Amino acid sequence: MAARRNNPSGIVPTIQNIVSTVDLDCVLDLNHIALHSRNSEYFPKRFSAVIMRIKDPKTTALIFASGKMVCTGAKTEAQSKLAARKFARIIQKLGFPAKFRDFRIQNIVASCDVQFTIRLEKFACTSHGAFSTYEPELFPGLIYRMKQPKLVLLIFVSGNVVIAGAKKRDDFYTAFDNIYPVLAEFKK
Amino acid sequence: MADTYCPDCKRPTEVVFDHSAGDTVCSECGLVLEAHSIDETSEWRTFANESTDNDPVRVGGPSNPLLADGGLSTVISKPTGASGDFLTTSLGRWQNRGSNPDRSLIQAFKTIATMSDRLGLVATIKDRANEIYKKVEDQKPLRGRNQDAILAACLYIACRQEDKPRTVKVANGATKKEIGRAKEYIVKQLEVELGQSMEMGTIHAGDFLRRFCSHLGMNNQAVKAAQEAVQKSEELDIRRSPISIAAAIIYIITQLSEDKKLLKDISLSTGVAEGTIRNSYKDLYPYAARIIPSWYAKEDDLKNLCSP
Protein backbone atom coordinates (compact mmCIF):
# COMPACT_ATOMS: atom_id res chain seq x y z
CA MET A 1 0.00 0.00 0.00
CA ALA A 2 1.25 3.50 -0.72
CA ALA A 3 2.85 5.40 2.14
CA ARG A 4 0.41 7.70 3.89
CA ARG A 5 1.34 11.31 3.37
CA ASN A 6 0.40 13.52 6.23
CA ASN A 7 0.13 17.25 6.15
CA PRO A 8 1.55 19.23 9.09
CA SER A 9 -1.72 19.02 10.97
CA GLY A 10 -1.36 15.28 11.29
CA ILE A 11 -4.98 14.66 10.42
CA VAL A 12 -5.73 11.73 8.17
CA PRO A 13 -9.13 11.10 6.62
CA THR A 14 -10.70 7.76 7.53
CA ILE A 15 -12.49 5.71 4.95
CA GLN A 16 -16.15 5.12 5.64
CA ASN A 17 -17.35 3.25 2.57
CA ILE A 18 -16.05 1.71 -0.62
CA VAL A 19 -18.16 0.87 -3.66
CA SER A 20 -16.75 -1.57 -6.19
CA THR A 21 -17.97 -3.50 -9.20
CA VAL A 22 -17.03 -6.85 -10.61
CA ASP A 23 -18.15 -8.87 -13.62
CA LEU A 24 -19.04 -12.50 -12.92
CA ASP A 25 -19.10 -13.15 -16.64
CA CYS A 26 -22.16 -15.38 -16.79
CA VAL A 27 -25.90 -14.97 -17.04
CA LEU A 28 -27.65 -15.46 -13.72
CA ASP A 29 -31.11 -16.64 -12.79
CA LEU A 30 -32.08 -14.18 -10.07
CA ASN A 31 -35.12 -16.14 -8.96
CA HIS A 32 -32.99 -19.21 -8.35
CA ILE A 33 -30.44 -17.21 -6.39
CA ALA A 34 -33.12 -15.56 -4.27
CA LEU A 35 -34.83 -18.84 -3.47
CA HIS A 36 -31.73 -20.80 -2.64
CA SER A 37 -29.84 -18.33 -0.46
CA ARG A 38 -30.72 -17.26 3.01
CA ASN A 39 -29.50 -13.70 3.09
CA SER A 40 -30.90 -12.17 -0.06
CA GLU A 41 -33.97 -10.22 -1.12
CA TYR A 42 -35.41 -9.88 -4.58
CA PHE A 43 -38.43 -7.79 -5.53
CA PRO A 44 -38.39 -7.55 -9.34
CA LYS A 45 -41.17 -4.95 -9.35
CA ARG A 46 -39.13 -2.65 -7.17
CA PHE A 47 -35.63 -3.23 -8.47
CA SER A 48 -34.27 -5.71 -10.96
CA ALA A 49 -31.41 -7.09 -8.87
CA VAL A 50 -30.86 -9.43 -5.95
CA ILE A 51 -29.69 -7.66 -2.79
CA MET A 52 -27.43 -9.98 -0.82
CA ARG A 53 -25.67 -9.32 2.47
CA ILE A 54 -22.82 -11.08 4.24
CA LYS A 55 -21.76 -10.65 7.85
CA ASP A 56 -17.98 -10.63 7.48
CA PRO A 57 -16.90 -8.24 6.09
CA LYS A 58 -20.23 -6.51 6.68
CA THR A 59 -21.15 -5.71 3.11
CA THR A 60 -24.07 -5.64 0.69
CA ALA A 61 -24.04 -6.69 -2.95
CA LEU A 62 -26.42 -5.93 -5.82
CA ILE A 63 -26.36 -8.83 -8.24
CA PHE A 64 -27.82 -8.33 -11.70
CA ALA A 65 -29.08 -10.86 -14.18
CA SER A 66 -26.35 -9.94 -16.65
CA GLY A 67 -23.72 -11.19 -14.25
CA LYS A 68 -22.52 -7.82 -13.07
CA MET A 69 -22.27 -7.15 -9.36
CA VAL A 70 -21.91 -4.05 -7.20
CA CYS A 71 -20.36 -4.47 -3.73
CA THR A 72 -20.81 -1.74 -1.09
CA GLY A 73 -20.12 -1.21 2.59
CA ALA A 74 -16.52 -2.29 2.96
CA LYS A 75 -14.08 -0.14 4.93
CA THR A 76 -10.84 -0.95 3.12
CA GLU A 77 -9.91 -1.88 -0.42
CA ALA A 78 -8.73 -5.32 0.61
CA GLN A 79 -11.98 -5.98 2.44
CA SER A 80 -13.96 -4.90 -0.59
CA LYS A 81 -12.11 -7.36 -2.80
CA LEU A 82 -12.48 -10.12 -0.22
CA ALA A 83 -16.20 -9.48 0.10
CA ALA A 84 -16.64 -9.49 -3.66
CA ARG A 85 -14.84 -12.82 -3.82
CA LYS A 86 -17.09 -14.21 -1.10
CA PHE A 87 -20.17 -13.16 -3.02
CA ALA A 88 -18.78 -14.74 -6.16
CA ARG A 89 -18.16 -17.93 -4.20
CA ILE A 90 -21.79 -17.98 -3.07
CA ILE A 91 -22.95 -17.63 -6.65
CA GLN A 92 -20.58 -20.43 -7.66
CA LYS A 93 -21.90 -22.71 -4.96
CA LEU A 94 -25.41 -22.09 -6.25
CA GLY A 95 -24.35 -23.65 -9.51
CA PHE A 96 -23.45 -20.77 -11.84
CA PRO A 97 -20.05 -20.64 -13.56
CA ALA A 98 -19.02 -17.39 -11.94
CA LYS A 99 -15.63 -15.86 -12.61
CA PHE A 100 -13.94 -12.81 -11.16
CA ARG A 101 -13.41 -10.35 -13.96
CA ASP A 102 -12.56 -6.63 -13.84
CA PHE A 103 -12.70 -5.92 -10.16
CA ARG A 104 -12.72 -2.10 -9.94
CA ILE A 105 -13.19 0.26 -7.09
CA GLN A 106 -15.62 2.92 -8.23
CA ASN A 107 -16.00 5.21 -5.27
CA ILE A 108 -14.38 5.76 -1.89
CA VAL A 109 -16.04 7.90 0.78
CA ALA A 110 -13.92 9.26 3.62
CA SER A 111 -14.44 11.72 6.42
CA CYS A 112 -12.31 13.71 8.82
CA ASP A 113 -12.44 16.53 11.33
CA VAL A 114 -10.25 19.60 11.06
CA GLN A 115 -10.89 20.50 14.70
CA PHE A 116 -11.97 24.08 14.14
CA THR A 117 -15.15 25.79 12.99
CA ILE A 118 -15.21 27.18 9.47
CA ARG A 119 -16.81 30.28 8.03
CA LEU A 120 -18.64 28.86 5.04
CA GLU A 121 -20.13 32.10 3.69
CA LYS A 122 -16.71 33.67 3.39
CA PHE A 123 -15.42 30.58 1.66
CA ALA A 124 -18.12 30.68 -0.98
CA CYS A 125 -17.47 34.35 -1.72
CA THR A 126 -13.76 34.05 -2.48
CA SER A 127 -11.86 32.78 -5.49
CA HIS A 128 -12.89 29.27 -4.49
CA GLY A 129 -16.47 30.31 -5.00
CA ALA A 130 -16.31 28.98 -8.53
CA PHE A 131 -16.04 25.46 -7.20
CA SER A 132 -18.32 25.81 -4.20
CA THR A 133 -22.04 25.63 -3.80
CA TYR A 134 -23.38 26.85 -0.47
CA GLU A 135 -27.11 26.98 -0.07
CA PRO A 136 -27.90 27.00 3.66
CA GLU A 137 -31.61 26.67 2.97
CA LEU A 138 -31.14 23.47 1.06
CA PHE A 139 -28.20 21.78 2.74
CA PRO A 140 -26.15 22.89 5.75
CA GLY A 141 -22.82 21.92 4.19
CA LEU A 142 -20.78 23.59 1.48
CA ILE A 143 -20.37 21.38 -1.61
CA TYR A 144 -16.88 21.81 -3.04
CA ARG A 145 -16.23 20.20 -6.40
CA MET A 146 -12.48 19.88 -6.72
CA LYS A 147 -11.17 19.66 -10.28
CA GLN A 148 -7.82 18.03 -9.57
CA PRO A 149 -8.32 15.33 -8.38
CA LYS A 150 -11.91 15.22 -9.51
CA LEU A 151 -13.98 14.65 -6.42
CA VAL A 152 -16.55 16.28 -4.17
CA LEU A 153 -16.00 17.52 -0.62
CA LEU A 154 -18.78 18.38 1.79
CA ILE A 155 -17.53 20.96 4.25
CA PHE A 156 -19.53 21.68 7.38
CA VAL A 157 -19.47 24.51 9.87
CA SER A 158 -18.44 22.14 12.63
CA GLY A 159 -15.22 21.37 10.82
CA ASN A 160 -16.20 17.93 9.61
CA VAL A 161 -15.25 17.24 6.02
CA VAL A 162 -16.62 14.41 3.90
CA ILE A 163 -14.71 13.46 0.75
CA ALA A 164 -16.46 11.40 -1.90
CA GLY A 165 -15.80 10.33 -5.45
CA ALA A 166 -12.23 9.18 -5.08
CA LYS A 167 -11.15 6.11 -7.00
CA LYS A 168 -7.88 5.63 -5.17
CA ARG A 169 -6.75 6.21 -1.62
CA ASP A 170 -4.10 8.68 -2.75
CA ASP A 171 -6.72 10.86 -4.39
CA PHE A 172 -8.39 11.82 -1.22
CA TYR A 173 -5.13 12.27 0.66
CA THR A 174 -4.15 14.78 -2.03
CA ALA A 175 -7.54 16.42 -1.86
CA PHE A 176 -7.34 16.82 1.88
CA ASP A 177 -3.82 18.21 1.62
CA ASN A 178 -5.10 20.72 -0.88
CA ILE A 179 -8.11 21.82 1.08
CA TYR A 180 -6.60 21.98 4.56
CA PRO A 181 -4.67 25.26 4.17
CA VAL A 182 -7.68 26.86 2.51
CA LEU A 183 -9.91 25.86 5.38
CA ALA A 184 -7.38 27.14 7.88
CA GLU A 185 -7.72 30.56 6.26
CA PHE A 186 -11.39 30.69 7.07
CA LYS A 187 -11.18 29.52 10.62
CA LYS A 188 -13.78 31.20 12.78
CA MET B 1 -31.22 69.67 -28.94
CA ALA B 2 -28.54 67.59 -30.56
CA ASP B 3 -25.26 68.03 -32.38
CA THR B 4 -25.19 66.97 -35.98
CA TYR B 5 -23.18 67.94 -39.00
CA CYS B 6 -24.88 70.69 -41.01
CA PRO B 7 -23.91 70.67 -44.72
CA ASP B 8 -24.39 74.44 -45.10
CA CYS B 9 -22.30 75.50 -42.11
CA LYS B 10 -19.87 72.66 -42.80
CA ARG B 11 -19.37 71.89 -39.09
CA PRO B 12 -21.28 70.23 -36.29
CA THR B 13 -23.88 72.64 -34.99
CA GLU B 14 -26.69 72.59 -32.49
CA VAL B 15 -29.75 71.06 -34.05
CA VAL B 16 -33.32 71.56 -32.86
CA PHE B 17 -36.03 68.99 -33.27
CA ASP B 18 -39.43 70.56 -33.90
CA HIS B 19 -42.11 68.11 -32.76
CA SER B 20 -45.12 69.90 -34.19
CA ALA B 21 -43.87 69.86 -37.76
CA GLY B 22 -41.55 66.86 -37.45
CA ASP B 23 -38.50 68.81 -38.70
CA THR B 24 -34.88 68.69 -37.70
CA VAL B 25 -33.57 72.24 -38.10
CA CYS B 26 -30.03 73.66 -37.78
CA SER B 27 -30.10 76.47 -35.24
CA GLU B 28 -27.36 78.52 -36.94
CA CYS B 29 -28.41 78.71 -40.56
CA GLY B 30 -31.98 77.45 -40.39
CA LEU B 31 -31.47 74.61 -42.85
CA VAL B 32 -34.01 71.81 -42.52
CA LEU B 33 -31.99 68.61 -42.21
CA GLU B 34 -34.84 66.13 -41.97
CA ALA B 35 -38.52 66.64 -42.58
CA HIS B 36 -41.53 64.41 -41.94
CA SER B 37 -39.86 62.35 -39.25
CA ILE B 38 -42.09 59.55 -37.94
CA ASP B 39 -43.22 59.82 -34.33
CA GLU B 40 -42.55 56.62 -32.47
CA THR B 41 -44.41 57.43 -29.28
CA SER B 42 -47.83 55.93 -28.67
CA GLU B 43 -50.75 57.29 -30.62
CA TRP B 44 -53.53 56.77 -28.09
CA ARG B 45 -53.63 56.63 -24.35
CA THR B 46 -55.73 53.84 -22.88
CA PHE B 47 -57.55 54.23 -19.58
CA ALA B 48 -58.91 51.50 -17.38
CA ASN B 49 -62.52 52.60 -17.33
CA GLU B 50 -62.93 53.01 -21.06
CA SER B 51 -64.92 50.47 -22.95
CA THR B 52 -62.91 47.89 -24.81
CA ASP B 53 -65.21 47.92 -27.81
CA ASN B 54 -63.97 51.10 -29.35
CA ASP B 55 -60.21 50.68 -29.00
CA PRO B 56 -58.53 52.86 -31.68
CA VAL B 57 -55.02 51.54 -30.96
CA ARG B 58 -53.52 50.25 -34.17
CA VAL B 59 -50.33 48.69 -32.77
CA GLY B 60 -49.92 45.64 -30.57
CA GLY B 61 -48.10 45.31 -27.26
CA PRO B 62 -44.41 46.02 -26.59
CA SER B 63 -42.06 43.88 -28.65
CA ASN B 64 -40.58 41.02 -26.67
CA PRO B 65 -37.01 40.27 -27.81
CA LEU B 66 -37.13 36.89 -26.13
CA LEU B 67 -39.74 35.50 -28.45
CA ALA B 68 -38.73 34.21 -31.86
CA ASP B 69 -40.14 37.00 -33.99
CA GLY B 70 -40.48 39.76 -31.45
CA GLY B 71 -44.04 38.83 -30.63
CA LEU B 72 -45.53 39.92 -33.94
CA SER B 73 -48.66 38.11 -34.80
CA THR B 74 -51.72 38.45 -36.95
CA VAL B 75 -54.97 37.01 -35.71
CA ILE B 76 -57.99 36.30 -37.85
CA SER B 77 -61.01 37.49 -35.90
CA LYS B 78 -64.67 36.87 -36.35
CA PRO B 79 -66.57 39.60 -38.22
CA THR B 80 -69.06 41.46 -36.04
CA GLY B 81 -72.67 40.67 -36.63
CA ALA B 82 -73.72 37.66 -38.64
CA SER B 83 -71.55 34.61 -38.34
CA GLY B 84 -73.27 31.86 -40.20
CA ASP B 85 -70.48 31.58 -42.69
CA PHE B 86 -68.50 28.38 -42.09
CA LEU B 87 -65.26 29.86 -43.41
CA THR B 88 -65.11 32.87 -41.13
CA THR B 89 -65.79 30.90 -37.96
CA SER B 90 -63.36 28.13 -38.76
CA LEU B 91 -60.50 30.27 -40.06
CA GLY B 92 -59.81 31.60 -36.60
CA ARG B 93 -59.75 28.11 -35.17
CA TRP B 94 -57.45 26.76 -37.86
CA GLN B 95 -54.97 29.57 -37.49
CA ASN B 96 -54.70 28.92 -33.80
CA ARG B 97 -54.05 25.26 -34.33
CA GLY B 98 -51.11 25.91 -36.64
CA SER B 99 -47.66 25.26 -35.29
CA ASN B 100 -46.38 28.06 -33.16
CA PRO B 101 -42.79 27.54 -32.07
CA ASP B 102 -43.18 29.97 -29.24
CA ARG B 103 -46.27 28.40 -27.78
CA SER B 104 -44.50 26.72 -24.86
CA LEU B 105 -42.39 29.81 -24.22
CA ILE B 106 -45.43 32.03 -24.07
CA GLN B 107 -47.12 29.57 -21.75
CA ALA B 108 -44.10 29.51 -19.48
CA PHE B 109 -43.85 33.30 -19.45
CA LYS B 110 -47.47 33.51 -18.47
CA THR B 111 -46.91 31.15 -15.56
CA ILE B 112 -43.87 33.12 -14.42
CA ALA B 113 -45.94 36.30 -14.61
CA THR B 114 -48.66 34.77 -12.45
CA MET B 115 -46.15 33.63 -9.85
CA SER B 116 -44.39 36.96 -9.73
CA ASP B 117 -47.69 38.78 -9.36
CA ARG B 118 -48.56 36.59 -6.43
CA LEU B 119 -45.25 37.46 -4.76
CA GLY B 120 -45.53 41.12 -5.69
CA LEU B 121 -42.28 41.21 -7.63
CA VAL B 122 -41.06 44.04 -9.84
CA ALA B 123 -41.14 43.75 -13.61
CA THR B 124 -37.32 43.69 -13.63
CA ILE B 125 -37.26 40.42 -11.76
CA LYS B 126 -39.98 38.95 -13.94
CA ASP B 127 -38.03 39.85 -17.09
CA ARG B 128 -34.88 38.39 -15.65
CA ALA B 129 -36.71 35.19 -14.89
CA ASN B 130 -38.04 35.09 -18.46
CA GLU B 131 -34.53 35.54 -19.82
CA ILE B 132 -33.19 32.79 -17.64
CA TYR B 133 -35.93 30.44 -18.70
CA LYS B 134 -35.33 31.17 -22.36
CA LYS B 135 -31.60 30.60 -22.01
CA VAL B 136 -32.11 27.28 -20.33
CA GLU B 137 -34.70 26.22 -22.84
CA ASP B 138 -32.29 27.04 -25.66
CA GLN B 139 -29.55 24.90 -24.23
CA LYS B 140 -31.27 21.66 -23.55
CA PRO B 141 -34.89 20.68 -23.52
CA LEU B 142 -35.94 20.08 -19.98
CA ARG B 143 -38.67 17.60 -20.59
CA GLY B 144 -37.47 15.26 -17.90
CA ARG B 145 -38.17 17.68 -15.09
CA ASN B 146 -41.11 19.16 -13.39
CA GLN B 147 -42.05 22.25 -15.39
CA ASP B 148 -43.33 24.05 -12.30
CA ALA B 149 -40.10 23.43 -10.47
CA ILE B 150 -38.05 24.88 -13.33
CA LEU B 151 -40.18 28.02 -13.49
CA ALA B 152 -40.11 28.46 -9.74
CA ALA B 153 -36.34 28.01 -9.80
CA CYS B 154 -35.99 30.63 -12.57
CA LEU B 155 -37.89 33.09 -10.44
CA TYR B 156 -35.83 32.21 -7.38
CA ILE B 157 -32.58 32.77 -9.27
CA ALA B 158 -33.83 36.05 -10.72
CA CYS B 159 -34.65 37.31 -7.24
CA ARG B 160 -31.22 36.28 -5.98
CA GLN B 161 -29.47 38.00 -8.86
CA GLU B 162 -31.24 41.24 -8.08
CA ASP B 163 -30.18 40.97 -4.43
CA LYS B 164 -33.72 40.49 -3.23
CA PRO B 165 -33.74 36.85 -2.28
CA ARG B 166 -36.95 35.03 -1.51
CA THR B 167 -37.23 31.86 0.51
CA VAL B 168 -37.38 28.72 -1.56
CA LYS B 169 -40.73 27.84 -0.04
CA VAL B 170 -42.30 31.07 -1.16
CA ALA B 171 -41.31 30.64 -4.79
CA ASN B 172 -43.50 27.60 -4.74
CA GLY B 173 -44.89 25.13 -7.17
CA ALA B 174 -43.15 21.89 -6.40
CA THR B 175 -41.46 20.69 -3.26
CA LYS B 176 -38.40 22.42 -1.90
CA LYS B 177 -36.21 19.52 -2.98
CA GLU B 178 -37.48 19.63 -6.55
CA ILE B 179 -36.93 23.35 -6.79
CA GLY B 180 -33.47 23.01 -5.29
CA ARG B 181 -32.53 20.38 -7.81
CA ALA B 182 -33.96 22.44 -10.68
CA LYS B 183 -31.99 25.43 -9.47
CA GLU B 184 -28.72 23.49 -9.49
CA TYR B 185 -29.46 22.29 -12.98
CA ILE B 186 -30.20 25.78 -14.25
CA VAL B 187 -27.13 27.28 -12.64
CA LYS B 188 -24.96 24.67 -14.26
CA GLN B 189 -26.55 25.31 -17.66
CA LEU B 190 -26.01 29.03 -17.33
CA GLU B 191 -22.41 28.60 -16.31
CA VAL B 192 -21.80 26.43 -19.32
CA GLU B 193 -23.21 29.09 -21.57
CA LEU B 194 -21.82 32.27 -20.07
CA GLY B 195 -18.61 30.72 -18.86
CA GLN B 196 -18.95 31.51 -15.24
CA SER B 197 -20.83 34.56 -14.23
CA MET B 198 -23.55 33.66 -11.74
CA GLU B 199 -22.73 36.08 -8.99
CA MET B 200 -25.21 34.88 -6.47
CA GLY B 201 -24.05 35.59 -2.97
CA THR B 202 -25.06 33.44 -0.05
CA ILE B 203 -28.28 34.40 1.63
CA HIS B 204 -28.23 36.11 4.99
CA ALA B 205 -30.90 36.35 7.59
CA GLY B 206 -30.93 40.13 7.29
CA ASP B 207 -32.15 40.03 3.69
CA PHE B 208 -35.41 38.44 4.72
CA LEU B 209 -35.90 40.14 8.04
CA ARG B 210 -37.43 43.32 6.71
CA ARG B 211 -40.00 41.43 4.71
CA PHE B 212 -41.01 39.09 7.54
CA CYS B 213 -41.38 41.99 9.94
CA SER B 214 -43.69 43.89 7.66
CA HIS B 215 -45.76 40.76 7.03
CA LEU B 216 -46.31 40.52 10.76
CA GLY B 217 -46.94 44.21 11.22
CA MET B 218 -44.24 44.90 13.76
CA ASN B 219 -43.58 48.49 14.73
CA ASN B 220 -40.46 50.36 13.71
CA GLN B 221 -38.69 49.98 17.02
CA ALA B 222 -39.08 46.25 16.90
CA VAL B 223 -37.89 46.07 13.31
CA LYS B 224 -34.77 48.05 14.07
CA ALA B 225 -34.04 45.94 17.11
CA ALA B 226 -34.48 42.78 15.08
CA GLN B 227 -32.09 43.98 12.42
CA GLU B 228 -29.43 44.79 14.97
CA ALA B 229 -29.94 41.45 16.62
CA VAL B 230 -29.48 39.65 13.32
CA GLN B 231 -26.24 41.50 12.67
CA LYS B 232 -24.86 40.44 16.01
CA SER B 233 -26.03 36.87 15.62
CA GLU B 234 -23.96 36.40 12.47
CA GLU B 235 -20.85 36.29 14.59
CA LEU B 236 -22.17 33.50 16.75
CA ASP B 237 -21.73 29.91 15.83
CA ILE B 238 -25.29 28.81 15.26
CA ARG B 239 -25.76 26.00 12.85
CA ARG B 240 -29.20 26.69 11.50
CA SER B 241 -30.64 27.92 8.26
CA PRO B 242 -30.61 31.75 8.16
CA ILE B 243 -34.36 31.80 7.71
CA SER B 244 -34.89 29.86 10.92
CA ILE B 245 -32.57 32.22 12.76
CA ALA B 246 -34.49 35.21 11.44
CA ALA B 247 -37.76 33.64 12.56
CA ALA B 248 -36.40 32.88 16.02
CA ILE B 249 -35.12 36.44 16.44
CA ILE B 250 -38.47 37.83 15.46
CA TYR B 251 -40.04 35.56 18.05
CA ILE B 252 -37.71 36.81 20.77
CA ILE B 253 -38.24 40.44 19.86
CA THR B 254 -42.00 40.15 19.81
CA GLN B 255 -41.99 38.28 23.11
CA LEU B 256 -40.07 41.16 24.64
CA SER B 257 -42.45 43.82 23.42
CA GLU B 258 -46.08 44.25 24.36
CA ASP B 259 -47.29 43.05 21.00
CA LYS B 260 -46.60 39.34 21.31
CA LYS B 261 -46.98 37.31 18.15
CA LEU B 262 -48.00 33.70 18.27
CA LEU B 263 -45.62 31.05 17.08
CA LYS B 264 -48.29 30.14 14.59
CA ASP B 265 -48.32 33.59 13.00
CA ILE B 266 -44.56 33.72 12.72
CA SER B 267 -44.49 30.24 11.27
CA LEU B 268 -47.06 31.22 8.66
CA SER B 269 -45.34 34.36 7.49
CA THR B 270 -41.80 32.99 7.43
CA GLY B 271 -42.60 29.52 6.18
CA VAL B 272 -40.57 27.96 8.99
CA ALA B 273 -42.16 25.11 10.93
CA GLU B 274 -43.15 25.85 14.53
CA GLY B 275 -40.91 23.10 15.83
CA THR B 276 -37.94 24.55 13.97
CA ILE B 277 -38.57 28.01 15.43
CA ARG B 278 -38.71 26.49 18.88
CA ASN B 279 -35.42 24.67 18.33
CA SER B 280 -33.73 27.77 16.97
CA TYR B 281 -35.06 29.65 19.97
CA LYS B 282 -33.43 27.06 22.20
CA ASP B 283 -30.12 27.67 20.41
CA LEU B 284 -30.38 31.44 20.59
CA TYR B 285 -31.62 31.69 24.16
CA PRO B 286 -28.18 31.50 25.83
CA TYR B 287 -26.97 34.39 23.72
CA ALA B 288 -30.07 36.51 24.09
CA ALA B 289 -28.29 39.08 26.23
CA ARG B 290 -25.62 39.55 23.62
CA ILE B 291 -27.71 39.93 20.54
CA ILE B 292 -30.72 41.92 21.70
CA PRO B 293 -29.75 45.60 21.69
CA SER B 294 -29.72 47.14 25.14
CA TRP B 295 -31.82 50.14 24.16
CA TYR B 296 -34.70 47.85 23.34
CA ALA B 297 -34.92 45.56 26.33
CA LYS B 298 -33.41 45.58 29.80
CA GLU B 299 -31.84 42.63 31.57
CA ASP B 300 -34.99 41.96 33.59
CA ASP B 301 -37.11 41.65 30.51
CA LEU B 302 -34.67 39.11 29.23
CA LYS B 303 -35.06 37.13 32.41
CA ASN B 304 -38.78 37.14 31.82
CA LEU B 305 -38.29 35.44 28.52
CA CYS B 306 -39.68 32.00 28.89
CA SER B 307 -36.87 29.52 28.91
CA PRO B 308 -37.27 26.86 26.28
Side-chain angles (χ1 to χ4, degrees):
Chain A
M1 209 162 349
R4 295 202 190 163
R5 298 186 324 266
N6 282 2
N7 54 17
S9 63
I11 303 175
V12 160
T14 47
I15 299 183
Q16 304 291 345
N17 181 23
I18 298 187
V19 178
S20 55
T21 53
V22 74
D23 187 0
L24 300 174
D25 208 15
C26 71
V27 175
L28 301 174
D29 180 1
L30 296 183
N31 271 314
H32 186 260
I33 297 176
L35 287 168
H36 292 257
S37 57
R38 197 171 303 180
N39 45 4
S40 57
E41 55 186 70
Y42 178 47
F43 299 107
K45 281 213 192 95
R46 216 172 57 178
F47 188 56
S48 47
V50 167
I51 304 170
M52 195 183 293
R53 297 185 165 85
I54 55 176
K55 295 228 178 47
D56 169 49
K58 186 158 174 289
T59 46
T60 309
L62 304 173
I63 307 169
F64 292 85
S66 59
K68 297 231 169 59
M69 184 172 81
V70 178
C71 171
T72 62
K75 293 271 196 251
T76 68
E77 299 91 318
Q79 278 187 2
S80 192
K81 192 151 190 190
L82 179 64
R85 281 198 193 276
K86 285 198 180 173
F87 283 115
R89 191 94 188 91
I90 298 177
I91 304 290
Q92 262 181 357
K93 285 222 177 104
L94 284 172
F96 296 95
K99 289 174 225 53
F100 205 73
R101 279 230 317 206
D102 292 338
F103 175 78
R104 257 189 64 186
I105 295 185
Q106 301 288 356
N107 181 20
I108 306 181
V109 179
S111 73
C112 54
D113 189 358
V114 297
Q115 308 288 342
F116 52 80
T117 49
I118 308 172
R119 285 186 164 278
L120 295 181
E121 314 89 52
K122 291 282 169 4
F123 197 105
C125 288
T126 64
S127 55
H128 294 276
F131 311 113
S132 347
T133 312
Y134 179 46
E135 203 70 46
E137 268 191 88
L138 296 178
F139 186 63
L142 189 152
I143 305 172
Y144 189 97
R145 296 178 194 274
M146 198 178 273
K147 290 272 162 61
Q148 192 47 256
K150 184 168 182 294
L151 32 70
V152 177
L153 296 97
L154 302 175
I155 306 170
F156 294 90
V157 183
S158 56
N160 287 316
V161 178
V162 173
I163 308 173
K167 293 254 186 333
K168 291 197 270 303
R169 189 180 276 261
D170 289 337
D171 282 349
F172 65 79
Y173 285 142
T174 323
F176 185 64
D177 289 344
N178 289 346
I179 202 84
Y180 188 79
V182 183
L183 294 178
E185 259 187 73
F186 296 101
K187 198 188 301 208
K188 229 189 250 223
Chain B
M1 297 281 180
D3 269 26
T4 341
Y5 183 77
C6 170
D8 268 5
C9 312
K10 303 243 187 327
R11 55 189 167 82
T13 50
E14 266 209 60
V15 159
V16 179
F17 182 67
D18 180 12
H19 289 271
S20 53
D23 294 337
T24 324
V25 181
C26 168
S27 53
E28 313 246 331
C29 61
L31 177 70
V32 173
L33 299 163
E34 232 181 278
H36 301 301
S37 57
I38 300 176
D39 182 17
E40 290 177 18
T41 60
S42 69
E43 186 184 5
W44 298 98
R45 300 180 295 169
T46 34
F47 297 100
N49 55 352
E50 275 183 5
S51 65
T52 46
D53 286 348
N54 189 21
D55 188 15
V57 170
R58 298 184 280 183
V59 300
S63 84
N64 193 344
L66 298 176
L67 298 176
D69 53 0
L72 301 168
S73 75
T74 312
V75 179
I76 302 176
S77 62
K78 238 170 34 165
T80 54
S83 62
D85 195 357
F86 173 66
L87 203 57
T88 45
T89 49
S90 333
L91 266 181
R93 246 180 292 137
W94 292 340
Q95 194 225 9
N96 222 8
R97 233 177 269 150
S99 70
N100 189 357
D102 289 333
R103 180 83 55 88
S104 57
L105 264 181
I106 297 181
Q107 181 66 22
F109 289 170
K110 223 184 288 193
T111 321
I112 292 184
T114 325
M115 278 199 281
S116 75
D117 269 348
R118 198 165 1 111
L119 296 174
L121 295 175
V122 206
T124 329
I125 297 183
K126 182 165 66 87
D127 290 336
R128 261 294 176 91
N130 284 344
E131 261 185 61
I132 295 175
Y133 180 77
K134 173 137 206 296
K135 269 198 216 139
V136 178
E137 185 72 48
D138 277 347
Q139 293 267 309
K140 244 161 59 165
L142 2 83
R143 283 311 117 195
R145 287 168 200 256
N146 192 345
Q147 180 80 326
D148 278 338
I150 298 267
L151 297 172
C154 283
L155 208 52
Y156 175 74
I157 295 177
C159 290
R160 271 278 278 267
Q161 285 192 319
E162 297 284 328
D163 286 325
K164 295 175 178 47
R166 295 287 189 282
T167 56
V168 187
K169 288 204 181 106
V170 157
N172 82 331
T175 63
K176 198 169 168 192
K177 207 163 86 154
E178 280 277 314
I179 300 184
R181 213 160 330 128
K183 174 198 160 278
E184 292 282 311
Y185 177 76
I186 295 178
V187 171
K188 216 186 311 178
Q189 289 295 323
L190 290 178
E191 281 196 3
V192 162
E193 173 178 331
L194 304 174
Q196 196 106 131
S197 72
M198 277 343 246
E199 277 310 316
M200 292 194 311
T202 43
I203 54 175
H204 300 283
D207 298 335
F208 301 89
L209 203 63
R210 204 68 194 67
R211 212 170 305 125
F212 294 161
C213 292
S214 58
H215 275 322
L216 289 166
M218 291 164 54
N219 59 5
N220 276 340
Q221 286 277 49
V223 175
K224 244 194 288 189
Q227 278 174 329
E228 273 192 41
V230 158
Q231 293 278 30
K232 297 222 186 85
S233 75
E234 299 225 334
E235 288 146 34
L236 303 172
D237 176 24
I238 305 183
R239 318 210 178 135
R240 294 214 166 257
S241 156
I243 319 276
S244 317
I245 298 186
I249 288 187
I250 292 181
Y251 180 65
I252 296 181
I253 298 277
T254 52
Q255 291 296 93
L256 287 175
S257 71
E258 291 85 40
D259 179 26
K260 300 195 190 335
K261 304 272 177 210
L262 297 168
L263 255 186
K264 216 181 344 161
D265 291 335
I266 303 184
S267 148
L268 235 126
S269 64
T270 58
V272 183
E274 287 189 31
T276 313
I277 305 184
R278 231 174 268 135
N279 282 337
S280 313
Y281 177 67
K282 251 186 261 185
D283 288 341
L284 275 181
Y285 184 72
Y287 305 102
R290 261 198 272 169
I291 50 179
I292 310 281
S294 42
W295 53 263
Y296 185 72
K298 319 309 174 286
E299 291 292 323
D300 322 321
D301 299 336
L302 287 176
K303 293 216 183 62
N304 283 342
L305 266 184
C306 51
S307 74

